[in-house]
Structure formats: C-alpha cells, structure tokens
Amino acid sequence: MSLGAPRIHFRRVDSTNERGRELAQRGAPHGTLITAGEQTAGRGRQGRIWSAPPGSAILCSLVIRDHPRMLPLCAGVAVADLAGPDARVKWPNDVLVNGRKVAGILVEGRPQERWAVLGIGVNVAVRPDELAPELRESAGTLGLRRQDVEPALERLLERLERWIAAAPEEMLEAVRARDALVGRRVKWAGGEGEAAGIDGDGRLMVQTDSGRVALEAGEVHLG
Ligand code: BTN
C-alpha cells in the first residue's frame, strides 16, 4: 500500500496538517502519514478549530504528491465508505451520518510545487457527551470503541487508495450516490437555490431563480 508509509505518530501535536506541510516542504515522499492521539491546535476549514477527545478519533494527514484535481471529493467518498452505507457526502467533503457531521477533511497545498496535505478527522469513538456543547446539535460519531480507531485508519487508507486511483467519472458516480444535498435548498456566501447534483468537474450545481450556477469551492449551508 502506497499510503501510510512512512508513518510518524505523535501522542500530542499542534496539528497533523501543520506537521504534514513541514514534511512535504522538506521533500517527504508521497504517502507519508502523520497521525496523532490528540491535537492542541487542530485546524478546520474556514479558519475554524477542530477538536476531538484524546484517543477517540482518527486525526491524520497524508502527504500527497501530484494529487488528482478532485482530491477533496476522493477523500469525502473514502471517508463515507468507512462510515457505512448510510453515510452521505455534503459537498465538497463533509461526511454526515443521520444528518450529523462525523468527519472533516482539510486539503492544504502548493499546487505549483505539486504537493498537497490531506488532513482527515473522523469521530470514531467519540461519545456524544464528549462533544463540545456548541457542536452537540450538528456533530456525530461512528459510535465505535477506542480500540477500533487504528483498524478504522487502516480501512480509511485502503478506501483512499481506491478512490485516488479510480477514474474520475467512477469516483464522481460514487459521490453522487451519496450526495446529501441534491434536491435540497442551499445557501452560500453568494446566493441560494436548490442543489442540482455534482457535475463532471466536481462542482456543485445549484438551480437559482436566475438560472443554474456551478460552485467551484467553498461552503454551502442547508437552507
Ligand atoms: C473541517 O473543518 O471540516 C475540516 C476539519 C479537518 C480536521 C483534520 S484533523 C487532522 C488534520 N489536522 C488538522 O489540523 N486538521 C485536519
């Protein structure tokens, strides 16, 4: 398996993505995996923080060289496979189970240097009462045991390899089959409308009052 070696594990670290970026800049090979039992400055999207109780979550980052253009979607569908048949992907890559977010994905990189760091946090064994009060409505967990975290990581790496290697159209079909937004009202910084699926470039199509638009990136909220 090309993802996961070499592996550097920290019992406690600021952010696995931060370590991943540093290693990527120093020439770490494709597939280098950084994991942590606990993060003190876990990074989320849009400048948010990402936190998880120690030992209960997958907290990992991978150095990916010459990454596919739709890496965030590949990661979303890989995490959804781990989360089970009921998991849905909320474009671009939040993974929901029963409408609750069980995993977050943060891709950071330097396309001009042809590397990306793929950071993934999955609430594998987080108990609902351990979630921060402000997240209790929206966050979820896979409801597994702490000893399941490592096997879940193995499975995640296997699914990631599969989807990174897949033909883009096959990967997009898998994302579409799990699309949490299609047919639903969505809002984003620039407007609102009804989600109309994911196009061949991985963009979210939205039917608005003034026509169809395709969102390239960013975040949408269920209306
Ligand atoms: C999101 O906001 O949905 C993305 C969250 C990404 C969190 C993961 S945890 C492992 C990796 N290291 C970080 O600092 N962030 C990502």
Side-chain angles (χ1 to χ4, degrees):
M1 182 149 75
S2 74
L3 297 180
R7 176 177 179 179
I8 299 148
H9 178 76
F10 296 91
R11 251 188 300 172
R12 199 164 190 252
V13 73
D14 51 356
S15 153
T16 57
N17 260 39
E18 191 53 38
R19 297 302 117 220
R21 291 175 68 122
E22 202 175 271
L23 287 164
Q25 273 162 332
R26 287 209 228 128
H30 173 81
T32 299
L33 172 67
I34 303 99
T35 53
E38 183 183 1
Q39 293 185 124
T40 55
R43 283 208 291 262
R45 298 174 64 213
Q46 315 274 329
R48 290 187 293 255
I49 60 160
W50 183 265
S51 67
S56 307
I58 294 175
L59 299 169
C60 75
S61 299
L62 284 157
V63 174
I64 306 286
R65 298 205 176 266
D66 293 324
H67 56 282
R69 198 169 42 81
M70 292 188 276
L71 179 63
L73 293 179
C74 296
V77 76
V79 175
D81 283 353
L82 167 68
D86 295 335
R88 295 286 169 268
V89 177
K90 176 175 166 283
W91 183 92
N93 53 22
D94 283 345
V95 177
L96 312 178
V97 175
N98 297 327
R100 289 171 181 271
K101 175 164 163 167
V102 297
I105 295 165
L106 178 66
V107 180
E108 300 179 297
R110 295 254 173 90
Q112 66 279 21
E113 291 173 22
R114 297 166 59 188
W115 60 261
V117 171
L118 168 61
I120 304 180
V122 187
N123 293 342
V124 174
V126 179
R127 293 196 318 267
D129 62 295
E130 289 177 313
L131 292 165
E134 65 276 14
L135 297 179
R136 284 198 191 140
E137 287 295 298
S138 57
T141 166
L142 300 188
L144 301 176
R145 300 161 307 167
R146 291 164 70 101
Q147 58 266 41
D148 297 321
V149 172
E150 192 61 26
L153 173 65
E154 294 284 313
R155 163 108 176 122
L156 174 61
L157 295 176
E158 183 253 308
R159 297 319 291 166
L160 275 170
E161 291 221 342
R162 191 245 185 273
W163 291 117
I164 288 175
E169 197 48 43
E170 188 194 359
M171 183 277 295
L172 285 169
E173 274 311 310
V175 177
R176 290 179 188 125
R178 293 184 179 271
D179 187 350
L181 297 178
V182 67
R184 300 187 65 182
R185 295 290 304 173
V186 293
K187 291 185 180 177
W188 71 100
E192 61 182 287
E194 184 180 304
I198 293 159
D199 75 6
D201 292 317
R203 301 177 302 180
L204 179 70
M205 293 179 290
V206 186
Q207 190 63 43
T208 71
D209 290 343
S210 43
R212 191 167 274 219
V213 296
L215 305 183
E216 297 271 352
E219 196 154 297
V220 297
H221 303 280
L222 282 162

